[in-house]
Amino acid sequence: MNRPVMALGVVAGLGAALLGIGGGVAVAGPVSTTLTYSCDFPLIGPYDVSTKIDVTLPDSGTVGQPIQATDLKVTVTVPEDVVAALAIFEAATVAGSATAGAVVTDSGGQAQDLVLALTVPSAVIPPTGPLPVLATGTVPPATVTKAGTATVAVAPTYKATLTPRKADGSETDLGTFDLPCTANPATQDRTLGTIAIG
């Protein structure tokens, strides 16, 4: 029953798609990818969650100058059976935060890790059906030191901290918990896009 909550965090991660590059003055372009993460929910155990990552990356950048992604949105869809499980704990809403990441790799193979902090606003848990949860965050800038093509990818893991609440605003018996998520399968292509660095 805790998974829905985690899913929210996921994103994030995936968050992760936060990897922002594209600070240059180049024309920006939106990119989108959907990944599957296995989140380890308390009491329930591992559960696969679909996470869609949308972000705007710049078309190009300049060596030594910060580039940054914008308009980051992570939509996590909590499966119907998990939503039903939350009902057992009388959960009416869920909110929290998540820490995800992205990796920017330059043409020489040097990787730069970016840490993304996501906010999961309160989402109403429906009586039936899946629960789409939207999380947003700010993408930190990255500085590439080698000309060529830089690749931006979502990190393979992320962690969310979620709190489900009852209709009266009080916490459920689940309390506040951390949920770790890992890309599943690990062979998924987590690339968000590439940026030309001049």
Side-chain angles (χ1 to χ4, degrees):
M1 300 117 197
N2 310 326
R3 329 189 229 209
V5 191
M6 172 46 154
L8 313 180
V10 124
V11 319
L14 275 182
L18 328 166
L19 225 209
I21 10 182
V25 189
V27 177
V31 296
S32 178
T33 188
T34 299
L35 300 170
T36 297
Y37 282 81
S38 176
C39 300
D40 192 5
F41 297 91
L43 302 180
I44 303 176
Y47 200 95
D48 284 351
V49 175
S50 175
T51 301
K52 180 184 179 185
I53 302 166
D54 293 289
V55 68
T56 297
L57 299 179
D59 288 340
S60 63
T62 302
V63 170
Q65 294 186 15
I67 50 177
Q68 185 169 22
T70 58
D71 304 321
L72 173 66
K73 297 178 181 178
V74 179
T75 303
V76 176
T77 300
V78 179
E80 182 175 7
D81 59 340
V82 176
V83 173
L86 285 176
I88 297 177
F89 292 92
E90 301 180 64
T93 63
V94 64
S97 61
T99 300
V103 180
V104 177
T105 306
D106 65 23
S107 59
Q110 181 174 345
Q112 180 176 171
D113 294 325
L114 299 183
V115 177
L116 172 78
L118 293 171
T119 297
V120 181
S122 181
V124 177
I125 299 174
T128 60
L131 169 63
V133 178
L134 175 65
T136 60
T138 301
V139 181
T143 301
V144 179
T145 59
K146 186 178 181 61
T149 300
T151 301
V152 180
V154 177
T157 64
Y158 69 83
K159 182 178 74 173
T161 298
L162 303 169
T163 303
R165 293 181 181 280
K166 299 180 180 180
D168 62 4
S170 62
E171 292 188 14
T172 67
D173 290 338
L174 295 173
T176 295
F177 51 86
D178 291 333
L179 292 176
C181 294
T182 302
N184 183 32
T187 54
Q188 288 180 96
D189 182 2
R190 292 176 283 104
T191 302
L192 285 173
T194 58
I195 299 174
I197 305 298

